[in-house]
Amino acid sequence: MASAEFDGVTALPDPATRRAHALRAAVAQGVLGADLPVVGLLDATGIRESARELRAAFATPGVSVSHAFAVKAASLVPVLRLLYAEGIGCEVASPGELALARAAGVPVSHIVLDSPAKTAAELREALALGVAVNADNPQELDRLDALLAGSSTTSPIGLRVNPQIGGGSIAATSTATDRSKFGLPLRDPGAVDWLVRSCARRPWVTRLHAHTGSQGCPLELMAEGVRVTYELAERINAVTGRQQIDTLDIGGGLPVNFASDVTTPTHRAYARLLRATVPGLFDGRYGIVTEFGRSLLAKHGTILARVEYTKTAGGRPIAVTHAGAQLATRTVYAPGAWPIRVTALDDKGHPKSGERVAQDVAGPCCFAGDIVAEARELPPLEEGDLVALLDTGAYYFSNHYQYNSLARPGIYGYVSDGSGVRFATVRAPQTLDEIVAESGGAQPEALSALT
Ligand SMILES: *Cc1c(COP(=O)(O)O)cnc(C)c1O
């Protein structure tokens, strides 16, 4: 990769500078244009940097550490391929996500299948492929008993547990609450005894898995979830008299700072806390699997959208843009839990100046709540300006919502260095023909012919 040379010292622009250059270049190079009023941008350099920071954070002599990216956070084949080139596999939770991981060339030995609703066919396929599987509940263990009878697999098999240690500030992403739908609830009466007996009877259960939560969960809570899981593994191994549980899958969930360009907390800080809270996890007796999603991608994505019109209503200025609930679904429906930064740019992609005024930044969807930022203080936006929605690399490009049949926008990766900005298409924009085809366009008479 080319880089800027200053007095013989190689210096790459920082992420915010790379982004600023990319926003201008997206306009200048026509990535955003008359027919393309909204695009997603991904900083390839930033993704690589986060992947390396994660690996360095957990690297421990004598310990096998395997990282799997939670595909739901950015279900884009080129993203999975780039991460795999940095040594990070995939955590998948559906046949679609498994297909994406395989299309990216990720070997089955680096894929973990988690899902609370795996069908028998999905389990059978995973076992045939040799993909690691984390069972969610006793019924799934029974299904595995049946599938494994008389056949063998190279799939490592784990059991997901719910440490029931409480939630974080966002209920929808807290998975270790008393009534979470995920995993085996450890504090329910008799659960631990049942689990220890049932693992002892199933020598093929060699992993325990816990994912305590995502955005909104304090690091201490996540580390406590890992500690409880580790203690349980120790107990199973004591009862069976051998290292039956040889790997702990600690899930993902590192929260992301959506308030500034600072990356905090870091994977390194979390790994340090884990080393202090669960030292036995790092002493070489256990392999470690992680499943981070948001923390690897969020900071590296930006949505760039045109302001189509501006108006005022009830004294409030409103900018009507092309980025709304179809892209920022959680932000629009749960703005308190998922606020994002929005910046005001002119029609060339340069930051606007001028006295800040409270404005609503609205989307294109036909419902009144389609507001990405309410009463946000920004330089006055005008027709033809642009807005950038920052930190949208995770759970924005992968969570498209087909409201109003708005097209999935194109996603473009960029490298921004001393020699300029280069773009590559990660996902082409959805076409009108595709929208029609995905909406029953091939059988217009289906209902009429029935009656
Ligand atoms: C969603 C999820 C993850 C990733 O969570 P992030 O907050 O994006 O890191 C990891 N593991 C499981 C089981 C999940 O459901």
Side-chain angles (χ1 to χ4, degrees):
M1 189 175 66
S3 57
E5 295 276 342
F6 300 105
D7 300 328
V9 178
T10 301
L12 284 171
D14 64 52
T17 306
R18 294 198 297 261
R19 182 180 65 218
H21 289 166
L23 293 174
R24 292 200 292 274
V27 179
Q29 297 182 29
V31 172
L32 183 94
D35 302 333
L36 296 165
V38 55
V39 296
L41 302 175
L42 279 172
D43 177 1
T45 311
I47 296 172
R48 278 196 198 271
E49 286 172 354
S50 287
R52 288 175 191 178
E53 191 264 338
L54 168 61
R55 288 190 64 191
F58 280 84
T60 311
V63 179
S64 148
V65 183
S66 162
H67 300 287
F69 172 66
V71 170
K72 70 176 185 276
S75 44
L76 297 162
V77 171
V79 168
L80 308 183
R81 170 90 91 179
L82 178 67
L83 287 170
Y84 184 64
E86 292 296 335
I88 295 185
C90 289
E91 185 262 356
V92 302
S94 70
E97 290 183 352
L98 176 57
L100 296 182
R102 301 192 72 204
V106 177
V108 291
S109 55
H110 287 70
I111 301 177
V112 179
L113 174 65
D114 295 331
S115 152
K118 305 173 201 80
T119 65
E122 285 165 39
L123 287 171
R124 201 174 297 117
E125 194 201 357
L127 297 178
L129 288 171
V131 165
V133 175
N134 286 318
D136 179 85
N137 57 64
Q139 291 175 354
E140 193 175 343
L141 286 178
D142 289 343
R143 281 194 192 177
L144 287 167
D145 279 333
L147 289 168
L148 289 170
S151 71
S152 67
T153 178
T154 54
S155 295
I157 299 177
L159 175 63
R160 180 165 180 173
V161 299
N162 170 8
Q164 288 175 305
I165 51 174
S169 61
I170 305 175
T173 55
S174 295
T175 43
T177 55
D178 276 351
R179 298 199 196 89
S180 163
K181 74 171 180 181
F182 294 106
L184 193 94
L186 295 183
R187 289 194 183 173
D188 280 12
V192 167
D193 286 340
W194 180 88
L195 187 147
V196 172
R197 264 185 284 119
S198 132
C199 288
R201 216 157 44 72
R202 295 181 170 95
W204 41 266
V205 176
T206 57
R207 296 182 167 191
L208 292 181
H209 172 222
H211 170 71
T212 293
S214 291
Q215 190 69 18
C217 287
L219 295 194
E220 291 71 21
L221 186 76
M222 292 164 47
E224 177 60 10
V226 175
R227 194 191 63 75
V228 170
T229 310
Y230 166 83
E231 294 300 341
L232 184 62
E234 291 282 275
R235 182 154 161 196
I236 293 168
N237 291 344
V239 166
T240 59
R242 63 193 186 91
Q243 191 78 16
Q244 176 175 334
I245 304 298
D246 61 17
T247 300
L248 294 180
D249 180 337
I250 66 170
L254 193 74
V256 164
N257 166 29
F258 285 98
S260 78
D261 278 325
V262 179
T263 296
T264 181
T266 56
H267 296 111
R268 206 174 275 281
Y270 181 43
R272 204 180 305 126
L273 178 66
L274 283 171
R275 288 177 203 277
T277 312
V278 203
L281 179 59
F282 296 89
D283 68 12
R285 288 173 302 135
Y286 291 96
I288 300 173
V289 176
T290 78
E291 304 173 341
F292 295 100
R294 182 176 289 106
S295 57
L296 282 166
L297 258 294
K299 290 300 216 198
H300 311 308
T302 306
I303 294 168
L304 181 61
R306 192 165 68 224
V307 176
E308 199 60 51
Y309 299 108
T310 56
K311 51 166 72 168
T312 62
R316 168 82 55 83
I318 303 170
V320 179
T321 80
H322 288 277
Q326 89 276 27
L327 275 163
T329 315
R330 284 178 170 170
T331 296
V332 166
Y333 284 113
W338 303 102
I340 48 173
R341 292 184 290 155
V342 176
T343 61
L345 309 170
D346 66 18
D347 61 353
K348 302 278 189 301
H350 295 267
K352 292 200 84 172
S353 50
E355 199 171 326
R356 289 167 179 262
V357 180
Q359 303 166 65
D360 285 356
V361 180
C365 300
C366 294
F367 70 100
D370 187 29
I371 308 286
V372 166
E374 192 180 359
R376 189 69 58 87
E377 302 266 344
L378 293 170
L381 284 162
E382 296 160 271
E383 180 182 346
D385 282 347
L386 306 173
V387 289
L389 280 49
L390 308 187
D391 307 324
T392 47
Y395 298 99
Y396 286 82
F397 306 152
S398 55
N399 287 14
H400 192 86
Y401 171 44
Q402 216 182 340
Y403 201 94
N404 282 142
S405 296
L406 286 157
R408 285 189 295 271
I411 309 292
Y412 303 90
Y414 64 85
V415 165
S416 167
D417 57 27
S419 58
V421 182
R422 283 172 289 128
F423 291 99
T425 302
V426 170
R427 177 181 76 194
Q430 190 182 28
T431 65
L432 296 182
D433 284 347
E434 286 165 350
I435 291 176
V436 172
E438 289 171 27
S439 306
Q443 49 278 337
E445 288 295 331
L447 292 174
S448 324
L450 264 185
T451 49

